[in-house]
Amino acid sequence: MSEATMGSNGASTELLQGRSVAVIGYGSQGHAHALNLRDSGADVVVGLYDGSSSAEKARADGLRVASVAEAADGANVVSVLIPDTVQRDVYEADIEPFLETGDTLVFAHGFNVHYNEIVPPDHTDVILIAPKSPGNRVREEFVAGRGVPALYAVHQDSTGNATEFAKAYAAGLGCTRAGILETTFAAETETDLFGEQAVLCGGFTALVQAGFETLVEAGYDPALAYFECLHELKLIVDLAYKHGIQGMRREVSDTAEYGDYVSGPRVVGEASRAAMKEILAEVQSGAFARQWIDEARGGQACFDRMRVDGAEHPIEVVGKKLRAHMAWL
Ligand code: NAD
Ligand code: MG
């Protein structure tokens, strides 16, 4: 696939003015969408389940709060910003019955639509706006007069206006100030799942734990292993985040840089690359999604067991003691 250009893509908030938008969920993304869209001229209502602890917070922020069904019924744009694992049930019970011709469904991650857990009716528009930041940063940057970059995509365009509205919504979040990038539900979902499994979460934690275990098994002090394999990562990641990989290499010592070139590819070699291809294939085929949906719906016994095992790993035990000495944390 070719590289898309990132810019404001000709977006403005005009299509958002006075539009009734129901933001379902007031968590990380929900609160940022609700507040930024309101401040950009939309008529926002927050939809929450009865007894949600977020209701008071949303009211304190000056927003109208209703049940999910009432909010979805009264709005012609419905943003589904609740955890991916509960979206299908909430959608079927309290959103779908109220979707009218020309309404727009908005998602911040393509998972449920891409894997057909949610199949919206033909007479609706279905779009994705995925800010590339946690919700609090989306709000903070907006308030500061800036924005964070976002991906946008159209899954279904019944009105002929879905793309223009997606861009207006992204502009309303402040994202066009940083730049928005057009993609598809498939590409957003598949790259997101692959990235978190192979690199950001899975690859990273397995790499750190393996490095830690290698040093500890060779007889080194677990505290030294912790500092070398986990603590110092932040410095490296911060440098790469700001200056890229080569910029990070310029900042570390020549010895570290030379060791990086000759040893890195031995750690992540053919076996790891083959595993990455396998993981990507399972994401693309829907096999991973099926496995996770079944696990989540079946009571999460495996998930809970892996959580407990993870918490008992020696790196957690030594890390807890060491972090108690880091006043800045
Ligand atoms: P979150 O966990 O922060 O928010 C959850 C919200 O949903 C809360 O208001 C909670 O009360 C509500 N909720 C939970 N269960 C509910 C239920 N059964 N019925 C009704 N409401 C319920 O969620 P989030 O991290 O903001 O994720 C929302 C969407 O945004 C997801 O699709 C996620 O993939 C996507 N996303 C998140 C981020 C992020 O940084 N967190 C970034 C990009 C995209
Ligand atoms: Mg992600």
Side-chain angles (χ1 to χ4, degrees):
M1 198 186 272
S2 63
E3 199 180 319
T5 48
M6 185 158 114
S8 71
N9 296 17
S12 84
T13 58
E14 207 177 302
L15 288 176
L16 210 57
Q17 300 312 307
R19 271 304 266 284
S20 58
V21 180
V23 173
I24 310 303
Y26 204 67
S28 176
Q29 290 295 318
H31 93 282
H33 287 227
L35 294 171
N36 291 9
L37 294 176
R38 177 199 64 192
D39 293 347
S40 295
D43 178 18
V44 173
V45 58
V46 176
L48 295 172
Y49 64 93
D50 277 347
S52 164
S53 58
S54 309
E56 217 168 296
K57 195 166 171 284
R59 283 197 197 94
D61 291 338
L63 291 159
R64 247 180 334 127
V65 175
S67 69
V68 176
E70 282 165 359
D73 192 14
N76 48 42
V77 178
V78 181
S79 299
V80 185
L81 300 174
I82 54 181
D84 296 303
T85 44
V86 305
Q87 285 186 7
R88 179 179 168 169
D89 287 345
V90 173
Y91 170 81
E92 286 177 354
D94 292 325
I95 297 174
E96 189 169 52
F98 305 105
L99 291 176
E100 291 171 71
T101 299
D103 281 359
T104 301
L105 267 175
V106 181
F107 293 86
H109 178 34
F111 188 96
N112 282 288
V113 170
H114 178 57
Y115 293 117
N116 297 315
E117 285 292 287
I118 291 177
V119 183
D122 290 342
H123 57 76
T124 53
D125 286 0
V126 183
I127 63 176
L128 169 87
I129 320 291
K132 291 280 95 186
S133 273
N136 54 7
R137 165 81 30 96
V138 175
R139 179 60 182 162
E140 280 163 17
E141 286 298 291
F142 180 91
V143 170
R146 301 184 298 254
V148 304
L151 306 179
Y152 69 101
V154 173
H155 172 73
Q156 192 164 284
D157 185 4
S158 76
T159 64
N161 276 324
T163 303
E164 285 314 303
F165 184 74
K167 290 195 280 185
Y169 189 106
L173 292 183
C175 296
T176 47
R177 296 166 182 167
I180 57 174
L181 192 64
E182 187 165 19
T183 183
T184 62
F185 273 63
E188 185 275 336
T189 305
E190 290 167 5
T191 56
D192 191 70
L193 292 177
F194 174 80
E196 64 202 17
Q197 291 176 34
V199 181
L200 303 174
C201 303
F204 151 68
T205 57
L207 177 70
V208 167
Q209 289 182 342
F212 174 88
E213 287 167 15
T214 301
L215 288 176
V216 172
E217 279 164 23
Y220 294 99
D221 184 333
L224 289 187
Y226 179 87
F227 279 122
E228 287 307 325
C229 297
L230 178 52
H231 179 81
E232 289 192 18
L233 251 181
K234 176 164 166 49
L235 170 75
I236 301 300
V237 170
D238 283 350
L239 287 170
Y241 185 86
K242 264 184 113 162
H243 308 295
I245 287 175
Q246 212 53 28
M248 176 278 286
R249 286 169 169 157
R250 267 197 308 275
E251 298 289 326
V252 299
S253 69
D254 285 357
T255 310
E257 184 178 357
Y258 177 75
D260 170 340
Y261 295 133
V262 298
S263 296
R266 295 166 65 199
V267 176
V268 181
E270 276 317 306
S272 295
R273 286 170 186 272
M276 285 187 179
K277 289 201 175 90
E278 232 176 83
I279 290 162
L280 182 58
E282 288 163 12
V283 163
Q284 290 170 327
S285 72
F288 169 78
R290 192 71 265 145
Q291 180 188 329
W292 169 226
I293 291 161
D294 290 347
E295 173 70 14
R297 290 184 169 250
Q300 306 199 344
C302 291
F303 187 33
D304 290 344
R305 199 165 51 245
M306 292 188 284
R307 267 188 177 158
V308 171
D309 289 349
E312 287 170 354
H313 191 281
I315 200 169
E316 299 308 314
V317 180
V318 67
K320 202 169 172 197
K321 283 187 210 145
L322 293 173
R323 289 193 300 274
H325 295 277
M326 301 176 193
W328 65 92
L329 298 179

